[in-house]
Amino acid sequence: MPVELTWWGHATCTVEDSGVRVLTDPLFARRLAHLRRRRGAVPPARAAVADVVLVSHLHADHLHLPSLARLAPGTRLVVPRGARRAVPGLARLARVRAFAVTEVVPGEEFAVRERAGDGVRVRAVSARHDGRRLPFGPHLAPALGYVVQGSERTYFAGDTGLFDAMAEEVGPVDVALLPVGGWGPHLGPGHLDAARAAQALAALAPAAAVPVHYGTYWPIGMDAVRPHEFHAPGEEFARFARQLAPKVAVRVLAQGERVRLP
């Protein structure tokens, strides 16, 4: 049974596998601090419907409290271990909305649905990224990626740089959701650009891949500053992938587009 994927923009995706809806890093804002959504409509209410929500790290464009507040009461929320201590607002929101919060570290695995023949499990894996809530705050929680295993194995990388043990730790996957850019004209350490994401793709060797984390948010007033870093990363990733991982089917999606993979 193929995975059905909807990319809502930035790192926000819905992965549907074996009747389970997994939502990643929900960001449903038109504006976030100095960032404005420049492409794609704000996701509709159905985007917030999920059986489990995976948060990769504590940056406000990945752990966005107003977006989490749109989830149904009782939704299962998976976050890096230490997130509630690092972000008191998350602990308060979880109490008010009765979220079932699970804190994990790399290597931990849990069942979303345990059923003979079509269960879905999620495993946390490492990411190379400074995921502190504040730029100079303490390291209270690790940055993570996740592997969703149902009828297929889908790797959501979160926000990460390239690291030697990535393919070994992630293991065999069928679909890879890889960040290929960011929200500003320059990428700092702990990120993948299109070329490095294609190197990661060659090591992971999935059947299919979708570039994410680009082309959605941009700093207000900076539309003319290195605009190719906003518009180009998805197609650049596809071009590099054809050179480095020609057997992988790369699908470059528009915000809100849904596709069946692999």
Side-chain angles (χ1 to χ4, degrees):
M1 180 185 300
V3 167
E4 294 191 348
L5 169 74
T6 305
W7 180 46
W8 301 109
H10 203 54
T12 307
C13 304
T14 295
V15 178
E16 298 175 71
D17 190 331
S18 304
V20 172
R21 288 175 62 93
V22 179
L23 178 64
T24 67
D25 288 353
L27 182 57
F28 302 141
R30 189 174 304 280
R31 179 174 174 177
L32 173 62
H34 65 300
L35 304 179
R36 175 172 58 91
R37 190 177 181 106
R38 289 196 56 220
R39 182 182 288 166
V42 173
R46 69 178 183 277
V49 177
D51 297 294
V52 63
V53 176
L54 308 178
V55 173
S56 63
H57 62 284
L58 306 189
H59 286 169
D61 57 323
H62 293 259
L63 197 167
H64 185 244
L65 296 177
S67 294
L68 294 178
R70 289 180 52 181
L71 303 173
T75 298
R76 186 171 188 181
L77 183 62
V78 180
V79 298
R81 184 171 296 170
R84 282 177 291 191
R85 182 163 63 100
V87 187
L90 173 62
R92 290 192 296 270
L93 179 63
R95 287 195 299 270
V96 171
R97 302 293 288 171
F99 292 149
V101 180
T102 302
E103 295 193 352
V104 296
V105 295
E108 291 190 326
E109 183 174 324
F110 58 91
V112 180
R113 175 180 295 166
E114 199 75 84
R115 193 165 65 191
D118 66 348
V120 174
R121 300 185 65 84
V122 175
R123 175 168 51 92
V125 297
S126 298
R128 295 297 185 269
H129 189 69
D130 184 349
R132 290 176 287 184
R133 185 60 170 180
L134 297 174
F136 306 107
H139 284 282
L140 297 178
L144 301 174
Y146 295 95
V147 177
V148 179
Q149 183 162 347
S151 63
E152 308 288 347
R153 291 161 297 190
T154 301
Y155 171 45
F156 168 64
D159 218 350
T160 187
L162 189 63
F163 57 99
D164 291 341
M166 177 185 282
E168 179 181 356
E169 184 173 346
V170 170
V173 290
D174 303 293
V175 178
L177 311 179
L178 295 177
V180 302
W183 50 252
H186 300 281
L187 285 175
H191 293 88
L192 295 176
D193 61 10
R196 291 193 295 271
Q199 293 176 40
L201 186 69
L204 293 164
V210 174
V212 301
H213 202 269
Y214 78 100
T216 308
Y217 292 90
W218 202 249
I220 293 170
M222 297 187 69
D223 290 9
V225 180
R226 293 170 59 85
H228 62 283
E229 298 294 345
F230 179 85
H231 295 284
E235 293 297 342
E236 285 187 347
F237 171 71
R239 177 168 56 83
F240 285 122
R242 285 193 293 270
Q243 299 169 9
L244 299 179
K247 294 183 179 180
V248 181
V250 174
R251 299 293 300 269
V252 180
L253 304 182
Q255 285 83 352
E257 185 174 356
R258 179 172 173 165
V259 65
R260 301 186 77 185
L261 299 167

